[in-house]
Amino acid sequence: MKQLDAYISRLIEETCGTWGIVIEDLDEDKRWEWNTQESFLAESIIKIPVMAAAFTAVEKKQFHLHDYVCLKKEDMVGGTGVLQHLTPGVQLTIYDLITLMIIQSDNTATNIVIDLVGMECIQETLEELGMEKSQFHRKMMIYPVHIESKNVITADDASTLLKKLATGTFRSRHACEQMIQILKKQQICNGLSSMLPSHQTNLIGSPPGWEFASKSGWDDDRQHDIGILYTGQRTFTISALSKGGNSLHAKQALGKIGLAVFEYAISKK
């Protein structure tokens, strides 16, 4: 990983802000890291542990993924997502809510799922995932005056989360497979995957050259993106968190990191 190490180190040093990064080659058990214990506001990255908590509740038979939930007016919050624009009374399955929470980062869907599983369950899920430095304290777009603490995460914890999912070692292999399939449907792709080559091939039915199961998070001077990169027989996890820099430059840096890992991965086939 020496060449990859040198490139990303130089890239981060040239990009403003503070970064926390972990890149892990799951096939060769190699790891590259930068500032792994730095604490960052989690932004929408916290939605992956929320999803994990929901699948935990399903496995404990507290509810089923195909159960329906009615969208209420009081559930609606701003920010990202489509549910805030729909008519109250619409019914969606819990699986659909989880999907919207991940692939469109829907804040309304997220808060409904949080209410279903409970705040304590999400913090317990963080602990079960081995995310020792991460904390969950509040819902999306809601800032109660009595809650001063914020949702926080580290690159090391994000990497631990991804590895648990990729190796099928959280709750059950089936649960991990379902969560990864949702993450692969990500529609917000302006970070790590933004510079990857097109999926298109000339052969009908041919599988894509790569897949990326991911979730991003952002706000003002914070740009995060984490995911599992699949390139044929190679699998890498990438966790990249940033704060205090220019958003456009941070997005560009994320794209360059994703491309560098991809090119390294395919060179190792």
Side-chain angles (χ1 to χ4, degrees), residues 76-95:
M76 297 179 172
V77 294
T80 52
V82 299
L83 291 188
Q84 61 181 306
H85 305 298
L86 301 187
T87 304
V90 169
Q91 299 216 14
L92 301 101
T93 66
I94 294 173
Y95 183 87

Side-chain angles (χ1 to χ4, degrees), residues 22-23 162 192 212 225-227 229 236-240 257-258 261:
V22 176
I23 299 166
L162 294 176
L192 290 167
F212 194 46
D225 203 2
I226 72 172
L229 177 63
F236 285 74
T237 62
I238 312 173
S239 301
I257 291 169
V261 175

Side-chain angles (χ1 to χ4, degrees), residues 179-204:
M179 287 187 275
I180 286 173
Q181 286 306 311
I182 293 173
L183 289 163
K184 283 182 177 180
K185 297 173 184 176
Q186 182 59 246
Q187 295 183 351
I188 302 172
C189 304
N190 58 0
L192 290 167
S193 63
S194 63
M195 296 185 183
L196 298 186
S198 171
H199 279 104
Q200 295 180 354
T201 68
N202 294 323
L203 300 175
I204 296 174

Side-chain angles (χ1 to χ4, degrees), residues 152-247:
V152 296
I153 197 171
T154 68
D156 188 56
D157 281 356
S159 184
T160 297
L161 161 65
L162 294 176
K163 188 171 183 179
K164 287 265 189 179
L165 297 183
T167 57
T169 52
F170 175 73
R171 304 305 300 178
S172 71
R173 190 170 188 87
H174 179 59
C176 290
E177 288 173 346
Q178 288 180 290
M179 287 187 275
I180 286 173
Q181 286 306 311
I182 293 173
L183 289 163
K184 283 182 177 180
K185 297 173 184 176
Q186 182 59 246
Q187 295 183 351
I188 302 172
C189 304
N190 58 0
L192 290 167
S193 63
S194 63
M195 296 185 183
L196 298 186
S198 171
H199 279 104
Q200 295 180 354
T201 68
N202 294 323
L203 300 175
I204 296 174
S206 176
W210 56 270
E211 291 182 289
F212 194 46
S214 68
K215 183 74 192 77
S216 59
W218 65 92
D219 189 10
D220 295 335
D221 65 346
R222 295 180 290 278
Q223 292 289 332
H224 311 326
D225 203 2
I226 72 172
I228 308 165
L229 177 63
Y230 300 90
T231 61
Q233 300 302 312
R234 310 289 300 176
T235 303
F236 285 74
T237 62
I238 312 173
S239 301
L241 313 176
S242 72
K243 61 183 177 182
N246 178 281
S247 291

